[in-house]
Amino acid sequence: MDNPTIAVDVMGGDNAPDSILDGVRLACEEYDVDLLLVGPEDLIRDFYDGDLPGGDRLRIRHASETIRMDENPLKAIRRKKDSSLNRAADAVKDGDAHALVSAGNTGAVHACTKIKWGVQERVDRPAIATLMPSRKGGYSVLIDVGANVDSDPHQLVQFGAMGSVYSELVLGVDDPTIGLLNLGIEEMKGNNLTKQAFSQFQNQPLNFYGNVEGRDIINGTTDVIVCDGFVGNIALKLSEGVAETIFDFIRDEIERSFRAKLGGMLLKPYFKNLKEMVDYSEYGGAPLLGLNGGCIISHGSSNPNAIKNAIRVARLSMSKECNRIIGERLQTLEFS
Amino acid sequence: MDNPTIAVDVMGGDNAPDSILDGVRLACEEYDVDLLLVGPEDLIRDFYDGDLPGGDRLRIRHASETIRMDENPLKAIRRKKDSSLNRAADAVKDGDAHALVSAGNTGAVHACTKIKWGVQERVDRPAIATLMPSRKGGYSVLIDVGANVDSDPHQLVQFGAMGSVYSELVLGVDDPTIGLLNLGIEEMKGNNLTKQAFSQFQNQPLNFYGNVEGRDIINGTTDVIVCDGFVGNIALKLSEGVAETIFDFIRDEIERSFRAKLGGMLLKPYFKNLKEMVDYSEYGGAPLLGLNGGCIISHGSSNPNAIKNAIRVARLSMSKECNRIIGERLQTLEFS
C-alpha cells in the first residue's frame, strides 16, 4: 500500500494531548507520512498555534470526548460515541485512514477496534505483540501480551504465524524462528496448553524452533516467542519491573558518595546506551495483530519520541501490507 | 525441633562434589548444626583429607551412585537406588535426618521426596517457593515456581498458605500479605484459574491482599506472590535473564574505553551491592513445601556459599517447625 494514512488518537494516554501532538510534529518533520489527527479540533489547532505541521498531508477529524485510562473499556466505548478513540477507529473503518495509533486505554483500544473493524478471516483472536530487546541486539517479538486471557493451542499457532509475519516485514528478519514459551526446552515439557500447542506447531509450514524458557525471552534465542496473553502480560510487566529496579538501585548507589558520583559521571554515556536498549519509546508500541485494520498500541506514558516511532511503525506495517500477508500465512496453516 | 539434622546430597549439582563439600565446611565453621553427608564415603573422606569438619556432629551415609542433572527424573530415581539423592531422602524417611539439601536435578529431588516421604495431610500438591529480591529490600516469596504445571484454584490457595508460613517463620515477616499474580489488579481481571482462585482466597483466614501484576514480583508489594508453577517458572527464569543481560551489558560497556574503565573501577564496590542483592547464593535455595520432611533445592550451579546458606535455611525451617505449622494453617482453610 502506497502512502497509507495513519489515524492518531490525540486524547489517548497519560500524557495526552501534549505528548501526542508533539510526537505528531516530530513524525511530520522526520517522515514522509499522511496523518489524520482525531480529537477536539480547537484544541489541536490551538496547540499548534494555527500552524499545523505536515501541511496538506495532515488532516483533523473532530471528536469531543475522551476515554480515560481507568475506565471500563466496553462501557466507555459504548457511552462515549464521540470519543477520539471511537472516531479514529471509525476513520479506519470508513477507509479514511488505514491504521490507528493510540496510547490510550489498552482494553478500550482492543475492544473498539475488534468491534468496529472485525477480525481477519481465519484469525480466531487478535493478539498484542511487543518487542523485547534482545541480549544479542535487535528485538524479539513476544506475542500475546494480554489481548486474550485464556487461549487454545490453535490460537497459539496463529499467534506464532502473525508474530513471524510482523518480525519479517517490520523488523526485517529473514524467515524468523518461532519459540513456544515453556518451563523447559524438552518436547514433553509443559502444561496442557503448551503440550498440545507443541504438537500443532510441528505440523505447520512455519519455522518452529521448539520450546524456549523464560530467559530466552531476553536472550534472543528465537525471533518470535509465543505464549498466552496471561503469561505474556506477566512477563512483559516483570521484565520492565526488573530493569527499572536495577536502574533505580544504580542511581541510588551513585548518590551515596563522591567516589560513586564521579564513577557515575564517567559512565553516564554508557548507561545511556543501556537505557536506550530497554527504552520502549524507541520501538514505538505494540501492534495489535489479526484485525481488519492496522493498530499500534503505544505505552500509556508515551513521550513524543514514542508516538513518533509508533507512527513510523504503523506506516511501515501498512506499506508492507502486513495484514494481507498475515491473511495469506494463516491460510497455509493446517490443524489436526 | 531442637538440633535438627540436615542431610546433604553430596553428589547433586553442576559443581558437585567440591562446592557441596566446601559449603559443608563453611556451614560447620559458622553454624551450630548437625549434618549427615550422603555420597561416596571414600570420596568425602579424601576430600577433607581425613579431617572431617564439624567433629562428631558430622556423619556420613555411604551412597555409590550419582543422578545427573539431565537425567529423566523418574527413571533415574528408580534405577539408581544407591544414588546420593535416594539415600539422603531415605535418611529423612528413617528419621536419621530431618531435612534434605540438594543442588541436584530439581525434577528428581521433587519426585524422590514426594514418593519416599509422602505429601502432608491436607496438601494437594507440594510446591517450590523461591525468594525474589524486593525493590523495598528483603525478599518476597514466589510460589509455585515449577513443582506443578497445571494447578486448580484450591491448590493456589494452599500455595499461598504454605508461602505465608515460610515467610513468617524463615524470613521473620509478621502476618505476611499474599498477592495473587494476575494481569491486572482489579478483582474481575484474570484467566479462569485466577478468577476462581481470587474468590476462594477471599473466604480464607489468610492475609489476602488481592491481585498483583508482573512488576509486583520485584516491587515487594506483597510478602508472598502466588501463581501456578508454569507461570512462576517462566517468571523466575525471565527475571534471572533480565538481570544477567543488564549486568553483561554494563560489563561490556565498561570495557569500551579508558573513561568507562575508570568509571567502572570507581563504581565497583557499589555494583557489588547490587550483585549481592540479586545473588541467589545469599538466600540458599528454594524450599519444597508440603512434604513430610524438609527440603531445600539449591541452584544447580550453587557455589559453597549457596550450600552453606541452604544448610542454614534448612536448619532454621526445621527449628521453627515449618511443616507442623503448615499443617495447622492448612487445617484452617475452608473451600466452597
Side-chain angles (χ1 to χ4, degrees):
Chain A
M1 184 186 296
D2 295 334
N3 298 321
T5 296
I6 312 303
V8 178
D9 171 9
V10 168
M11 303 307 287
D14 299 327
N15 307 322
D18 292 18
S19 276
I20 316 297
L21 292 170
D22 277 329
V24 164
R25 186 178 356 231
L26 292 177
C28 290
E29 285 164 12
E30 289 195 34
Y31 315 131
D32 176 37
V33 64
D34 294 301
L35 293 172
L36 178 69
L37 303 197
V38 187
E41 179 153 5
D42 288 351
L43 181 149
I44 296 169
R45 290 192 183 278
D46 283 356
F47 183 89
Y48 293 123
D49 219 3
D51 186 20
L52 294 184
D56 60 357
R57 301 189 64 179
L58 183 142
R59 292 176 295 130
I60 298 175
R61 183 182 276 217
H62 179 67
S64 63
E65 294 177 294
T66 299
I67 293 177
R68 290 193 320 275
M69 297 303 274
D70 59 350
E71 275 186 272
N72 177 294
L74 276 176
K75 283 186 190 161
I77 58 173
R78 280 191 194 131
R79 285 183 193 162
K80 295 183 170 171
K81 298 276 184 227
D82 199 37
S83 60
S84 55
L85 174 61
N86 267 327
R87 294 304 184 205
D90 287 340
V92 173
K93 199 186 170 193
D94 301 346
D96 197 23
H98 305 95
L100 161 66
V101 166
S102 178
N105 182 319
T106 301
V109 176
H110 179 211
C112 177
T113 51
K114 193 171 166 186
I115 293 167
K116 288 190 190 267
W117 305 350
V119 171
Q120 273 187 264
E121 213 182 323
R122 292 180 182 263
V123 172
D124 286 349
R125 302 277 190 84
I128 300 174
T130 193
L131 302 191
M132 301 292 287
S134 152
R135 194 171 194 156
K136 290 182 181 165
Y139 295 96
S140 305
V141 174
L142 180 67
I143 181 168
D144 172 39
V145 296
N148 310 284
V149 282
D150 288 291
S151 300
D152 69 28
H154 293 191
Q155 289 160 9
L156 292 194
V157 173
Q158 294 178 359
F159 297 168
M162 296 195 290
S164 72
V165 170
Y166 194 81
S167 170
E168 204 174 307
L169 299 182
V170 176
L171 303 180
V173 175
D174 185 34
D175 198 16
T177 49
I178 303 171
L180 176 65
L181 188 59
N182 212 325
L183 41 57
I185 55 169
E186 301 84 354
E187 179 173 342
M188 72 283 186
K189 281 279 175 90
N191 58 14
N192 292 334
L193 174 63
T194 55
K195 279 182 194 165
Q196 289 174 49
F198 190 98
S199 75
Q200 291 292 338
F201 261 115
Q202 285 185 306
N203 303 319
Q204 307 299 340
L206 295 171
N207 191 0
F208 181 55
Y209 171 91
N211 289 325
V212 295
E213 295 183 281
R215 62 177 64 241
D216 294 307
I217 295 175
I218 202 85
N219 277 355
T221 308
T222 58
D223 302 303
V224 179
I225 300 119
V226 172
C227 57
D228 72 63
F230 183 87
V231 172
N233 181 280
I234 286 165
L236 175 61
K237 289 173 180 165
L238 172 61
S239 51
E240 285 179 353
V242 172
E244 279 166 20
T245 300
I246 294 176
F247 294 147
D248 284 357
F249 190 95
I250 293 175
R251 198 179 303 121
D252 291 350
E253 290 287 311
I254 285 175
E255 289 302 311
R256 283 174 57 170
S257 74
F258 175 73
R259 174 191 169 130
K261 275 184 196 156
L262 185 62
M265 225 167 64
L266 291 168
L267 278 177
K268 203 168 180 184
Y270 305 96
F271 285 141
K272 210 170 145 251
N273 293 345
L274 179 62
K275 286 223 103 167
E276 262 170 27
M277 185 180 97
V278 300
D279 182 2
Y280 62 82
S281 77
E282 289 300 314
Y283 54 82
L288 176 53
L289 301 174
L291 291 168
N292 292 317
C295 180
I296 301 289
I297 303 176
S298 291
H299 206 290
S301 56
S302 283
N303 59 20
N305 194 47
I307 298 300
K308 179 196 82 175
N309 279 306
I311 291 169
R312 175 181 59 79
V313 165
R315 185 178 172 285
L316 181 60
S317 66
M318 287 293 107
S319 315
K320 298 267 188 180
E321 309 212 51
C322 195
N323 289 40
R324 182 177 64 75
I325 315 254
I326 282 177
E328 287 175 10
R329 185 77 45 96
L330 286 177
Q331 264 191 328
T332 69
L333 302 182
E334 279 186 27
F335 296 109
S336 55
Chain B
M1 181 188 297
D2 295 334
N3 296 322
T5 296
I6 312 304
V8 178
D9 171 9
V10 168
M11 302 308 286
D14 298 327
N15 308 322
D18 292 18
S19 276
I20 315 298
L21 293 171
D22 277 329
V24 163
R25 179 167 16 218
L26 292 177
C28 290
E29 284 163 13
E30 289 195 35
Y31 314 131
D32 176 37
V33 63
D34 294 300
L35 293 172
L36 178 70
L37 304 196
V38 187
E41 180 153 4
D42 288 351
L43 181 151
I44 297 169
R45 291 193 182 277
D46 283 354
F47 184 90
Y48 293 123
D49 219 3
D51 186 19
L52 293 184
D56 61 0
R57 300 189 64 180
L58 183 142
R59 293 176 294 129
I60 297 174
R61 182 183 276 218
H62 178 69
S64 63
E65 293 175 296
T66 299
I67 293 178
R68 290 191 322 275
M69 299 301 273
D70 59 352
E71 274 186 273
N72 177 296
L74 276 177
K75 282 186 190 161
I77 58 175
R78 280 192 194 130
R79 285 184 193 161
K80 296 182 169 172
K81 299 274 182 232
D82 199 38
S83 60
S84 53
L85 174 61
N86 266 327
R87 294 302 184 206
D90 286 340
V92 173
K93 198 185 171 192
D94 300 347
D96 196 23
H98 306 94
L100 160 66
V101 165
S102 177
N105 183 321
T106 300
V109 175
H110 178 210
C112 176
T113 52
K114 194 171 166 186
I115 293 167
K116 288 189 190 270
W117 305 350
V119 172
Q120 272 189 264
E121 214 182 322
R122 292 181 182 262
V123 172
D124 286 349
R125 300 276 190 87
I128 300 174
T130 192
L131 301 190
M132 299 293 288
S134 151
R135 194 169 192 157
K136 291 182 181 165
Y139 294 96
S140 306
V141 175
L142 179 67
I143 182 171
D144 172 38
V145 295
N148 309 284
V149 283
D150 289 290
S151 299
D152 69 29
H154 293 190
Q155 288 160 6
L156 291 195
V157 173
Q158 293 178 359
F159 297 167
M162 295 195 290
S164 73
V165 170
Y166 194 80
S167 170
E168 205 174 307
L169 300 182
V170 176
L171 303 180
V173 175
D174 185 35
D175 197 17
T177 50
I178 303 172
L180 177 63
L181 188 59
N182 212 325
L183 39 58
I185 57 169
E186 301 85 354
E187 180 174 342
M188 74 282 187
K189 282 277 176 91
N191 57 14
N192 292 334
L193 174 64
T194 56
K195 280 182 192 165
Q196 290 175 47
F198 190 98
S199 74
Q200 291 292 338
F201 262 116
Q202 284 185 306
N203 303 321
Q204 307 299 341
L206 295 171
N207 192 1
F208 181 54
Y209 171 90
N211 289 326
V212 295
E213 296 184 279
R215 63 178 63 242
D216 294 306
I217 295 174
I218 203 86
N219 277 356
T221 308
T222 58
D223 302 304
V224 179
I225 300 121
V226 172
C227 57
D228 72 61
F230 184 86
V231 172
N233 180 279
I234 286 165
L236 175 62
K237 289 174 181 165
L238 172 61
S239 51
E240 287 179 351
V242 173
E244 279 166 19
T245 301
I246 294 176
F247 294 148
D248 284 357
F249 190 94
I250 293 174
R251 197 179 305 120
D252 291 349
E253 290 289 309
I254 284 175
E255 289 302 313
R256 282 174 56 170
S257 74
F258 175 73
R259 176 192 168 128
K261 275 183 195 155
L262 185 61
M265 226 167 65
L266 291 166
L267 278 176
K268 204 168 178 184
Y270 305 95
F271 286 141
K272 207 170 148 252
N273 293 344
L274 179 62
K275 287 224 102 166
E276 260 170 28
M277 186 181 97
V278 299
D279 182 3
Y280 62 82
S281 75
E282 288 302 314
Y283 53 83
L288 175 54
L289 300 174
L291 291 168
N292 292 316
C295 179
I296 301 288
I297 303 177
S298 292
H299 205 291
S301 55
S302 284
N303 59 22
N305 194 47
I307 298 299
K308 180 196 82 176
N309 278 306
I311 290 169
R312 174 181 59 79
V313 165
R315 184 176 174 286
L316 182 60
S317 66
M318 287 293 107
S319 315
K320 299 268 188 178
E321 308 211 51
C322 195
N323 288 39
R324 183 177 63 75
I325 315 255
I326 283 178
E328 287 175 10
R329 185 76 46 95
L330 287 176
Q331 263 190 330
T332 69
L333 302 182
E334 278 186 27
F335 295 108
S336 54

